[in-house]
């Protein structure tokens, strides 16, 4: 399954003013750097946890329906299924009724009776599912520990702007980061 970000979050979970306050920066000289580092820190926390901090729209592409009828998107938390399409052998997309799928937000699973769904006509990328993921649209929807992990990473990158030389003792990631995000990491068996 591959994933494509269709609609990124409308804002960052940490405003420029909040980031400057956390970094104790009182001037505007580094605003562009702080803004870029905030977005990068959000993306990094999202990659480590496989969770979208703010509401985003993603497209998941599959080759075939899973035999058990359960599709587990690589990114969560799952909010809703917007659209489902299956492609025929000519490459024409056919919309499927979203109501025929069950979205289990607690388990981060989209379930469907795969025996009742049309098989894709092409062997690769025959199915597309557009979903909304994220904790919510507002910064206040983001769990406090993930927001703090983002702040820690932002501060670390702001203070260590460049690659750390091996043997200098500078950590590539701040201590405690993985402990903060551990409850949100998906485990695979």
């Amino acid at each position: 399954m591959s994933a494509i970000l269709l609609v990124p979050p409308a804002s960052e979970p940490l405003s420029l003013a909040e980031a400057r306050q956390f970094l104790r920066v009182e001037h505007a000289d580094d605003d562009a750097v702080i803004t870029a580092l905030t977005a990068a820190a959000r993306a990094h926390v999202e990659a480590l946890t496989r969770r979208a901090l703010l509401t985003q729209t993603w497209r998941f592409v599959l080759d075939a329906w899973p035999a058990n009828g359960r599709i587990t998107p690589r990114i969560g938390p799952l909010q809703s299924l917007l659209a489902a399409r299956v492609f025929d052998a000519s490459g024409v997309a056919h919309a499927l009724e979203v109501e025929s799928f069950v979205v289990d937000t607690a388990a981060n699973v989209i379930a469907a009776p795969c025996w009742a769904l049309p098989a894709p006509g092409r062997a690769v990328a025959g199915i597309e599912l557009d979903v909304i993921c994220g904790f919510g649209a507002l910064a206040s929807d983001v769990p406090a520990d993930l927001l703090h992990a983002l702040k820690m990473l932002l501060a670390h990158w702001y203070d260590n702007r460049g690659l750390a030389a091996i043997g200098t003792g500078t950590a590539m990631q701040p201590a405690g980061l993985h402990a903060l995000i551990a409850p949100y990491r998906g485990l695979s068996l």
Side-chain angles (χ1 to χ4, degrees):
M1 175 185 326
S2 61
I4 302 162
L5 179 62
L6 296 178
V7 180
S11 62
E12 293 297 336
L14 190 64
S15 70
L16 176 60
E18 293 167 326
R20 286 175 65 193
Q21 180 181 7
F22 185 78
L23 296 171
R24 296 184 179 138
V25 173
E26 296 177 1
H27 56 81
D29 297 345
D30 288 345
D31 283 359
V33 170
I34 293 169
T35 300
L37 289 175
T38 301
R42 175 195 42 82
H44 192 72
V45 169
E46 288 176 342
L48 290 173
T49 61
R50 292 170 40 172
R51 302 279 185 266
L53 298 185
L54 293 174
T55 301
Q56 304 170 18
T57 304
W58 285 83
R59 175 168 294 154
F60 295 100
V61 181
L62 299 97
D63 295 337
W65 298 111
N68 65 1
R70 297 172 57 90
I71 302 161
T72 306
R74 294 182 180 167
I75 301 161
L78 188 58
Q79 288 183 18
S80 62
L81 176 65
L82 290 176
R85 287 172 295 287
V86 64
F87 290 84
D88 63 22
S90 302
V92 176
H94 299 277
L96 302 176
E97 291 193 28
V98 175
E99 293 78 25
S100 61
F101 295 84
V102 175
V103 178
D104 184 349
T105 57
N108 207 57
V109 169
I110 300 168
C114 56
W115 58 88
L117 296 171
R122 60 185 190 193
V124 178
I127 301 165
E128 292 181 347
L129 302 173
D130 294 347
V131 301
I132 296 178
C133 298
F135 288 104
L138 305 174
S140 59
D141 296 328
V142 178
D145 41 1
L146 290 180
L147 189 58
H148 190 69
L150 185 152
K151 289 177 182 179
M152 286 175 57
L153 198 54
L154 168 66
H156 180 74
W157 286 348
Y158 183 77
D159 291 339
N160 300 286
R161 294 185 211 182
L163 295 176
I166 295 174
T168 63
T170 303
M172 294 302 284
Q173 293 184 350
L177 175 71
H178 290 283
L180 283 171
I181 65 171
Y184 300 93
R185 295 190 71 171
L187 299 177
S188 297
L189 299 176

